[in-house]
Amino acid sequence: GESVGLHLPTLSVQEGDNSIINCAYSNSASDYFIWYKQESGKGPQFIIDIRSNMDKRQGQRVTVLLNKTVKHLSLQIAATQPGDSAVYFCAEIGGSNYKLTFGKGTLLTVNP
Amino acid sequence: DGGITQSPKYLFRKEGQNVTLSCEQNLNHDAMYWYRQDPGQGLRLIYYSQIVNDFQKGDIAEGYSVSREKKESFPLTVTSAQKNPTAFYLCASSILPEARTEAFFGQGTRLTVV
């Protein structure tokens, strides 16, 4: 069945380092993959998305990579800052019903 | 300001009661979604709607009901059939994928059964 999951539940990095958060998916029919950031007690915020016909997309300090061969998605955060500490979710949407499905999340902790 | 609004922020329910959570958006978005989030967990899809007067069950629809009578509104009713309703509920809306995928979330409603 459809599933979106994450390899690592927690990630701890030093301020200034680069962070990589990974995600595996199983639905080959998904059209878009999206990364969200959720701070404690708040709703998720959109970070970046990538269409299924792309391999890489860059934003401000973030890069999303899509490897359709192994059904793997990653979010790279450059020069990680304390304000980046949050839970990060990957999500996918696609098929004819536009169902937006989330993975379980990775808690990113940035140490000063 | 444009956005998506959930109310109330906190809600307490007695066992056996139905409660309705409000979700309103003025973004002219077609699709709306309801998710449940338990502590330390991800978001699980309850119901979603692509168009007025139509909606589909998500992964955990049992014990919940929705309506989509207006494009702007997608209320969620937590019925007495939901055995463990205490959770953080999130509503989202988005333009359908032909345009963009960014879903905007409300700030959530924290429901507690007392």
Side-chain angles (χ1 to χ4, degrees):
Chain A
E2 298 177 2
S3 69
V4 178
L6 295 174
H7 293 306
L8 298 174
T10 61
L11 178 63
S12 183
V13 300
Q14 291 297 122
E15 181 178 358
D17 288 350
N18 296 335
S19 302
I20 300 176
I21 301 171
N22 296 303
C23 176
Y25 67 93
S26 61
N27 184 5
S28 299
S30 293
D31 297 315
Y32 284 91
F33 300 90
I34 311 144
W35 283 100
Y36 286 90
K37 173 186 180 182
Q38 186 179 28
E39 296 175 336
S40 181
K42 297 182 179 180
Q45 290 180 294
F46 172 91
I47 301 173
I48 191 169
D49 63 4
I50 186 167
R51 194 164 185 166
S52 60
N53 62 357
M54 299 171 66
D55 298 320
K56 179 179 180 179
R57 190 168 186 213
Q58 288 185 297
Q60 187 178 9
R61 283 203 304 120
V62 296
T63 301
V64 56
L65 299 177
L66 177 62
N67 186 332
K68 294 180 287 295
T69 302
V70 295
K71 296 181 182 176
H72 184 266
L73 185 70
S74 68
L75 176 70
Q76 301 178 1
I77 305 174
T80 313
Q81 303 168 0
D84 294 327
S85 294
V87 177
Y88 289 81
F89 294 97
C90 65
E92 60 179 332
I93 189 167
S96 60
N97 58 8
Y98 309 120
K99 183 180 178 183
L100 179 61
T101 304
F102 281 75
K104 293 184 179 180
T106 292
L107 173 62
L108 175 65
T109 302
V110 181
N111 302 310
Chain B
D1 289 343
I4 182 166
T5 304
Q6 288 186 244
S7 62
K9 187 173 182 179
Y10 299 96
L11 186 58
F12 298 88
R13 189 195 93 173
K14 293 182 179 179
E15 287 191 23
Q17 285 184 337
N18 293 355
V19 289
T20 298
L21 283 59
S22 172
C23 179
E24 303 278 334
Q25 55 96 2
N26 60 3
L27 301 165
N28 199 34
H29 283 174
D30 303 292
M32 296 189 74
Y33 307 84
W34 272 107
Y35 294 89
R36 170 183 173 137
Q37 188 174 32
D38 294 286
Q41 302 295 315
L43 281 69
R44 292 186 290 170
L45 183 62
I46 304 173
Y47 270 98
Y48 62 108
S49 169
Q50 303 165 52
I51 194 170
V52 174
N53 293 323
D54 188 39
F55 48 83
Q56 291 79 40
K57 292 183 178 180
D59 300 316
I60 55 165
E62 185 175 353
Y64 300 98
S65 66
V66 293
S67 63
R68 188 86 188 275
E69 297 177 1
K70 299 186 299 182
K71 188 175 186 178
E72 302 79 19
S73 179
F74 192 41
L76 173 74
T77 297
V78 184
T79 74
S80 57
Q82 171 50 238
K83 300 305 179 186
N84 185 22
T86 295
F88 188 48
Y89 291 86
L90 286 158
C91 179
S93 70
S94 71
I95 296 175
L96 296 181
E98 284 84 0
R100 290 193 59 190
T101 59
E102 181 175 355
F104 289 83
F105 279 82
Q107 290 304 300
T109 293
R110 192 166 299 278
L111 173 65
T112 304
V113 173
V114 296

